[in-house]
Amino acid sequence: MIQNSRAGRRLAMRRIRPRRSPAVPLVVLAWLGAAVVMWMWWNNTPNVVGTANQLIAAGRITGLLGAYTIALVIAQMARVPALESRVGSDRVARWHAMSGRYAISLVVAHVVLTIWGYSEVSKTGVVSEAVTVVTDYPDMLMALAGTLMLLIVGFVSAGALRRRMRYETWYYLHLLTYAAVFLTFWHQLTTGAEFIASATARTAWYALYLTVAGLVVWYRVLTPVRLNLRHRMRVEATVVEAPGIVSVLISGRKLHRLGAEAGQFFRWRFLTPGLRWSANPYSLSAPPRPGLLRITVKAVGGHSSALGTLKPGTRVWAEGPYGALTAARRSRGKVLLLAGGAGITPMRALFETLPAAPGDLTLLYRAKSTEDLALWRELKAIAKERGARLMYAVNGPDGSRPEITPDGLKARLPDIDRHDVYLCGPPGLAAEWFHTLREAGVPERRIHHESFEL
Amino acid sequence: MNPFRTNPMRRVLLGTVATVSGVTALLALKPHTQTAVALPQTAASPTTPSAGASSPASASPSASSSTKSTKGTKGTKGTTTTKTVTGDTIQTRYGPVQVQITLKAGKLSAVNVLQVPQDNPRDAEIAQYSVPVLTQEALAAQSASINSVSGATYTSQGYISSLQSALDKSGN
């Protein structure tokens, strides 16, 4: 049994201390950086005369902004703890997708405007000018290769194609970005007027890119290596919790020292044929204990379906903890947890550990049928011990869906508007609940949710 | 913040509009006429009485005054000599620029470009269209206080600096 752990009880005794997400200061900082980059251009450009030079100048601006944005795009995926656990992995992933698209648009604009402008100046055709630019300017062949790679990455990340691709294929193609950034970096310094003119600008640019490279090496390479050398995790056992829902128990050394909180997840890689090459995010379904972690997974894809067949002793490579759907999000005493299907996983861990007085904590669990209520016995035991409310909603025998309405919620929890609500479930359901909660009077800032839809 | 509210199309549209108008505004705010460029190199050249014209920002008045003083010298000596002076080699981003001037009776009569970046077709192109314009301007102004050619800012800077150093050496 994994519930009723001492670790869980200790967590549940903590004081409620809401922490502010550093999202706003970070966004402000990013914009300030963009302003500095624009100032670099402004400072270095005495005038812009004629159409051709306007095109070239626009090409420079978009190029500078694009290169700056790409540095941010990489930093967003460097798994920096402040971003992953305080802003939230889901939100950062959305930032990443958004700024990635923006960066690629800027790069395309930069290429088109620059070549067009140069061909206007030299009165040659666009194609011959493009050839000239690539062959005659320093580091431009590298830049061409890098840009093509960026375009490939952008192309495969486009929604329609992404969905049809295997996650692993998409992921490994995405790693091309690092090569692309390396290849395109040099032409910025050797042909960029702003950098040729000023050693300060060059230094600043090196600092920006080296910082980002340092973050990637530190948090994506060294930190996971250290974690796995220290904790040496292995599969302990697998347990079928409900039809299609499986728990994997993972043993290791000093697992309570991982710093994982209830509601967080790790990216798991099981070192066994077929699973070795993909790392998937799964939430902890119980607070970590000194020698044991547990994840609970619904079989939806190739990876998650294969988890049930894991043999005890299989080595596990984990990266994390990530995610901001933790106790730090809440601002008040009363909490409602809404779980849909396999979305119970983080809610189960929070149910045990969220500090709350008896009666202040409610969990509403939505599933297809009572058989599908995975972890139900544990939840009941926790509810009993903590004096928390536990409710479920399942489809009727005729398959009719239970209505979770604003009025229904208010009837059960008259003071729902004074609750913090954590919700986790399949995307459609989560969106539906979000609107229901808003109608029931819960302010948006008190609805805590993680969604990995980009 | 809230992922349920995002409307991707609106965001794309907003981003595009904001970027395009931002870039357009930046371009619109920059001067659209040619301005003389600052020449860091001239500051290092020896200061001569005519060095008043070495600051490119000070345009025609000081330039014309230096021309007048040249005429004055010519008048007193009454000689018609032809003098050739080679200017300093000025390093620009894209390569060295060096000019040689010919003074007939103290008057700038020709500017000959000895070195200009033309290792690649684009540099050559730039040199090809900018050098004649610069020379024409220099002969008309009788000084180095001339405008740089747009699209050839660095070649122009090098040209102007080298020309200034030649004029300084000639003792005008």
Side-chain angles (χ1 to χ4, degrees), chain B residues 6-28:
Chain B
T6 51
N7 182 346
M9 273 329 284
R10 212 182 75 187
R11 196 172 264 172
V12 168
L13 202 72
L14 220 92
T16 314
V17 170
T19 310
V20 170
S21 44
V23 170
T24 316
L26 277 175
L27 293 179

Side-chain angles (χ1 to χ4, degrees), chain A residues 42 45 102 122 136-137 193 197, chain B residues 2 19 30-31 93 121-122 125:
Chain A
W42 181 266
T45 309
Y102 189 52
S122 61
D136 288 338
Y137 281 66
Chain B
N2 155 29
T19 310
K30 274 283 168 197
R93 287 175 192 190
R122 181 158 173 79
E125 244 168 48

